[in-house]
Amino acid sequence: MILRMEESSSPNPRKAALTESLLRIVVERGLDQVSVREVASAAGVSIGTVQHYFPTKDEMLAAAFAEVVRRVRARLESVELGDDVRRNLSTVLQEFLPLDARRSEEARIMVAFSARAATSPELAEVQRGVLGEIHEALSEAFARAANGRADEAETKRTAHIAIAAADGLALHAVSAPRWISRPELAATLELLLNRLLPREKDASTS
Amino acid sequence: MILRMEESSSPNPRKAALTESLLRIVVERGLDQVSVREVASAAGVSIGTVQHYFPTKDEMLAAAFAEVVRRVRARLESVELGDDVRRNLSTVLQEFLPLDARRSEEARIMVAFSARAATSPELAEVQRGVLGEIHEALSEAFARAANGRADEAETKRTAHIAIAAADGLALHAVSAPRWISRPELAATLELLLNRLLPREKDASTS
């Protein structure tokens, strides 16, 4: 699962601190509570300082979303992958589910930005980019698992289902309290892979 | 697919008009643009009038979310269902995908409220309720389709996958422009059902 590192990430430390404050607000109070004023207050700087780095709120949000995407990408690149396609798919998709505190925070952030992208062209571009990268990587994995027994259209649709189901499970887990437990999330992901990958008896290539 | 009608829907016409104005703002500008002031302005009434019906913004949002859920429920109840479980599942899940202008608007609204539920206990309760109803109905349908060949845990997880994939596809379609076309959304849903339902050769009960 190789997600391309499309841009270098050596952000200005001041800018990085502002982004961190912004993401903290999103996790704790929600994206609708983010404003230049709130970020300045949370970071302990003046409104003018925030505006120096981010002239508009939309630019500030897009930079924060891009930063989260960079983190997800970096983590996916560091995942230990082997020859077992199914295990690789499981490992990668688990990164999108709120299975521990870190991933819960990240899922809350991703859900908030994804939803906001519906009415923000800047965020929509970021969203389209990250979906494209993940979709390409998953399509490759499903094509390898199908081993010639699925055409390209089917492989791409299978990848759409996998990303959509993972994001949908994350959305439901963060938006409805006590709706689905972490073990149940993990078990549901495994059942999804059982259904999307060729069955053992079909998969023999010998 | 029977979703329970849990509350009667004979809202005050004034209140209904305010909710309509609020939903219009969500579709056109996003949930973060909703405020008592904006709703009053869009509906052509005073701020005091809005506050008379909805003392707090959270109550106003929860009422609007509940109204959308009522509409979805009413539409699902009016769907013509037959004995073909697969066709029923397809018909119902299609209602959650932005396959035409009406469903696109509704998907935008559902995505926005679902995401906001992550930081709003009032909205989270509504979200949990609607997920519970849909999950119960889908679990029944998948249990019927499995015809005794799947245990309850598997049936419930299958229903989780179906709702999550449908909501995830809707989220991606409304948040990333030109990411996935309507025909491709519909084809992806059919592939999902192919994968989740017993295969023809396994499903014979004769």
Side-chain angles (χ1 to χ4, degrees):
Chain A
M1 192 70 43
I2 295 93
L3 292 175
R4 295 182 309 280
M5 181 65 82
E6 281 178 336
E7 39 197 317
S8 82
S9 71
S10 50
N12 179 306
R14 197 69 175 275
K15 215 165 164 174
L18 292 177
T19 299
E20 200 51 51
S21 295
L22 187 158
L23 295 177
R24 187 60 29 214
I25 296 171
V26 174
V27 167
E28 289 168 5
R29 293 186 279 146
L31 186 45
D32 58 298
Q33 294 300 310
V34 171
S35 64
V36 169
R37 179 183 302 273
E38 288 292 334
V39 170
S41 161
V45 302
S46 71
I47 289 177
T49 300
V50 176
Q51 287 170 332
H52 170 73
Y53 291 106
F54 303 111
T56 69
K57 183 177 164 186
D58 279 346
E59 283 176 64
M60 182 171 75
L61 292 177
F65 191 15
E67 170 57 25
V68 175
V69 169
R70 258 195 297 276
R71 289 181 196 175
V72 172
R73 192 189 287 131
R75 221 175 49 246
L76 289 177
E77 284 176 337
S78 75
V79 163
E80 293 278 347
L81 297 179
D83 292 332
D84 185 336
V85 178
R86 188 206 154 100
R87 185 174 299 180
N88 292 347
L89 281 165
S90 175
T91 305
V92 166
L93 290 171
Q94 279 176 26
E95 285 297 322
F96 295 93
L97 299 182
L99 293 171
D100 55 26
R102 173 181 57 71
R103 283 177 285 186
S104 286
E105 287 201 353
E106 213 163 70
R108 293 169 76 88
I109 291 170
M110 291 296 277
V111 160
F113 279 111
S114 297
R116 177 70 74 94
T119 49
S120 159
E122 288 86 353
L123 297 185
E125 274 313 304
V126 180
Q127 168 81 342
R128 202 180 186 298
V130 67
L131 284 176
E133 285 184 49
I134 298 166
H135 185 261
E136 191 180 328
L138 292 182
S139 295
E140 275 174 34
F142 281 114
R144 212 172 325 136
N147 202 11
R149 288 182 311 280
D151 64 19
E152 197 187 338
E154 182 174 328
T155 300
K156 289 190 166 182
R157 283 175 198 148
T158 306
H160 272 307
I161 291 172
I163 314 172
D167 273 358
L169 285 171
L171 171 64
H172 295 163
V174 304
S175 65
R178 302 172 312 283
W179 168 245
I180 185 166
S181 68
R182 287 171 179 174
E184 197 54 28
L185 270 179
T188 302
L189 175 60
E190 292 311 310
L191 179 63
L192 173 70
L193 291 175
N194 287 346
R195 292 289 176 266
L196 295 184
L197 290 168
R199 300 187 181 188
E200 284 301 317
K201 62 176 187 282
D202 305 335
S204 163
T205 57
S206 60
Chain B
M1 191 71 42
I2 294 93
L3 292 174
R4 295 184 308 279
M5 180 65 81
E6 282 180 334
E7 38 196 317
S8 82
S9 70
S10 50
N12 179 307
R14 197 71 175 272
K15 215 166 167 175
L18 292 176
T19 300
E20 200 51 49
S21 296
L22 187 157
L23 295 178
R24 186 62 28 213
I25 295 171
V26 174
V27 167
E28 288 168 5
R29 293 188 278 147
L31 186 47
D32 57 297
Q33 295 299 311
V34 171
S35 65
V36 168
R37 179 182 302 273
E38 288 292 334
V39 170
S41 162
V45 302
S46 71
I47 289 177
T49 300
V50 176
Q51 288 170 331
H52 170 73
Y53 292 106
F54 303 111
T56 70
K57 183 177 163 185
D58 279 347
E59 283 175 64
M60 182 171 74
L61 291 177
F65 192 14
E67 170 57 25
V68 175
V69 169
R70 258 195 297 274
R71 289 181 197 177
V72 172
R73 193 188 287 131
R75 221 174 49 247
L76 289 177
E77 284 176 339
S78 75
V79 163
E80 291 279 345
L81 297 179
D83 292 334
D84 184 336
V85 178
R86 190 209 152 99
R87 185 173 299 180
N88 292 347
L89 281 165
S90 176
T91 304
V92 166
L93 290 170
Q94 280 176 25
E95 287 296 321
F96 295 93
L97 299 182
L99 293 172
D100 56 25
R102 173 181 58 70
R103 283 176 285 185
S104 285
E105 287 200 353
E106 212 162 74
R108 293 168 77 88
I109 292 170
M110 291 297 278
V111 160
F113 279 111
S114 297
R116 178 70 74 92
T119 49
S120 160
E122 288 86 355
L123 297 185
E125 274 312 305
V126 180
Q127 169 81 340
R128 202 179 186 300
V130 66
L131 283 176
E133 285 185 49
I134 297 167
H135 185 262
E136 191 180 330
L138 291 182
S139 295
E140 275 174 33
F142 282 113
R144 212 171 326 135
N147 202 10
R149 289 182 310 280
D151 65 18
E152 195 186 342
E154 184 175 327
T155 299
K156 289 190 166 183
R157 283 174 196 149
T158 305
H160 272 307
I161 291 171
I163 314 172
D167 273 357
L169 286 171
L171 172 64
H172 295 162
V174 304
S175 66
R178 303 173 308 286
W179 168 245
I180 186 166
S181 67
R182 285 171 180 174
E184 198 53 29
L185 271 179
T188 302
L189 174 60
E190 292 311 309
L191 179 63
L192 173 71
L193 290 175
N194 286 348
R195 293 290 175 267
L196 296 184
L197 290 167
R199 302 189 180 186
E200 283 302 317
K201 63 176 188 280
D202 306 336
S204 161
T205 56
S206 59

